[in-house]
Amino acid sequence: QVQMVESGGGLVQAGGSLRLSCTASGLTFDDYAMAWFRQAPGKERERVSCTSAGSGVSYYADSVKGRFTASRDNAKNTLLLQMISLKPEDTGMYYCAAASGRGVCYREPDQYQYWGQGAQVTVSS
């Protein structure tokens, strides 16, 4: 049984920092692209970042480039998201997701097979 557990969300003032962590079990972590998605109330779920399996290259949404850094530790089956210079528009529920395949990253949520339960990030102005 695959489990994906996020941690590290919270409330922070604009300009602050947070780090999200996602630990996966029950899958061969190295064979999965790992992504962070977020969803704000009334908005569609959007991909924030994706880190490919194999090369470990990360891709980012334009809105977070230069502020967010995703990384993966395959030995610990862990995906991290370091967020700095947070803005109120970064507020939302953040989900980690896994998609089977090496060297690929998908933009659409329906390409991902496994999801965590979500971690709330709230940025106050």
Side-chain angles (χ1 to χ4, degrees):
Q1 181 179 359
V2 175
Q3 287 190 319
M4 313 258 289
V5 180
E6 297 107 336
S7 61
L11 172 64
V12 65
Q13 288 188 330
S17 302
L18 283 174
R19 189 176 81 159
L20 300 180
S21 178
C22 171
T23 300
S25 60
L27 53 72
T28 304
F29 190 78
D30 301 15
D31 288 341
Y32 284 77
M34 297 298 298
W36 289 102
F37 283 78
R38 69 184 178 190
Q39 189 166 21
K43 294 189 176 181
E44 292 187 350
R45 191 169 296 191
E46 65 167 342
R47 194 190 75 178
V48 173
S49 71
C50 179
T51 304
S52 65
S55 66
V57 174
S58 293
Y59 304 88
Y60 299 94
D62 288 343
S63 58
V64 307
K65 280 180 183 176
R67 300 187 299 118
F68 290 14
T69 303
S71 61
R72 60 189 296 162
D73 184 339
N74 291 333
K76 297 181 179 180
N77 284 13
T78 298
L79 176 71
L80 300 174
L81 185 68
Q82 180 67 50
M83 305 182 288
I84 65 171
S85 303
L86 282 161
K87 304 175 181 180
E89 51 263 43
D90 294 318
T91 294
M93 188 70 78
Y94 282 67
Y95 300 89
C96 63
S100 180
R102 295 175 68 86
V104 296
C105 266
Y106 303 108
R107 190 177 301 275
E108 297 302 321
D110 60 6
Q111 297 294 320
Y112 291 80
Q113 291 84 38
Y114 303 110
W115 292 82
Q117 82 286 355
Q120 178 67 39
V121 171
T122 303
V123 184
S124 63
S125 58

